[in-house]
Amino acid sequence: KNEVEQSPQNLTAQEGEFITINCSYSVGISALHWLQQHPGGGIVSLFMLSSGKKKHGRLIATINIQEKHSSLHITASHPRDSAVYICAVPPYSGGGADGLTFGKGTHLIIQP
Amino acid sequence: DAGVTQSPTHLIKTRGQQVTLRCSPISGHKSVSWYQQVLGQGPQFIFQYYEKEERGRGNFPDRFSARQFPNYSSELNVNALLLGDSALYLCASSWKGEDYGYTFGSGTRLTVV
């Protein structure tokens, strides 16, 4: 079963800084998800990617399938980016109907 | 289009009681998955339903059950509640499940006292 490691677990940065959050997984996958969770619960899906790079506004996600590694970058960070960022992958290489396996999340705080 | 809607948003129950949580997927989505998120941890997979059939089940006791209706909405039932069942219960819908994109609801916060 896939094991997901995220780093760092906690990150505090100043407004405007470039942020990088890393995710590694143990079993080859077809797609990886980056999610954002604000205090109070609701999860927002940011990206689903299977190769290369995706960009949405100030968010950039990259994945290296061979190295089983993905990164989420935030450019020109802002206090409203403060949230928990979670990486999630299928539990097995074949995907299947077993839901997603989630990393423990990176708690990001952007200070003004 | 409305997103994934879950009800209720908050719930307090007593140990031993039973609870039913509800989820309405995005229009056109036929797959619904349920996750439990205990405070401070990542979500854990409970069930996935597609076209009204159970397609996957996580490592949860038989006290947890679910079903999907013809309109693709879903209910999660938990019997004989334990204090440890206190968590945020998240529902996610997708067109087909598996590696397709997921949209999450805001969750139901269940507190068992």
Side-chain angles (χ1 to χ4, degrees), chain B:
Chain B
D1 278 344
V4 177
T5 56
Q6 290 188 244
S7 63
T9 55
H10 294 83
L11 198 54
I12 299 175
K13 288 286 191 178
T14 305
R15 275 181 299 175
Q17 285 189 313
Q18 175 265 340
V19 69
T20 298
L21 311 180
R22 296 177 176 82
C23 172
S24 293
I26 285 179
S27 177
H29 283 191
K30 299 181 179 181
S31 176
V32 170
S33 301
W34 287 95
Y35 294 86
Q36 180 197 63
Q37 186 178 24
V38 174
L39 194 62
Q41 298 182 21
Q44 297 291 315
F45 172 67
I46 310 175
F47 286 108
Q48 184 181 103
Y49 276 77
Y50 174 67
E51 286 282 14
K52 301 176 287 293
E53 290 189 2
E54 181 183 305
R55 295 285 302 275
R57 183 186 182 112
N59 188 24
F60 279 80
D62 291 343
R63 299 184 296 108
F64 288 77
S65 64
R67 54 181 175 168
Q68 187 177 33
F69 297 98
N71 66 354
Y72 302 111
S73 67
S74 178
E75 287 183 350
L76 174 70
N77 295 284
V78 186
N79 293 323
L81 284 168
L82 303 174
L83 295 179
D85 296 329
S86 296
L88 179 69
Y89 289 84
L90 293 159
C91 170
S93 80
S94 67
W95 178 62
K96 196 175 179 181
E98 300 178 14
D99 290 341
Y100 291 82
Y102 290 84
T103 301
F104 284 83
S106 297
T108 293
R109 174 77 61 186
L110 172 65
T111 301
V112 183
V113 297

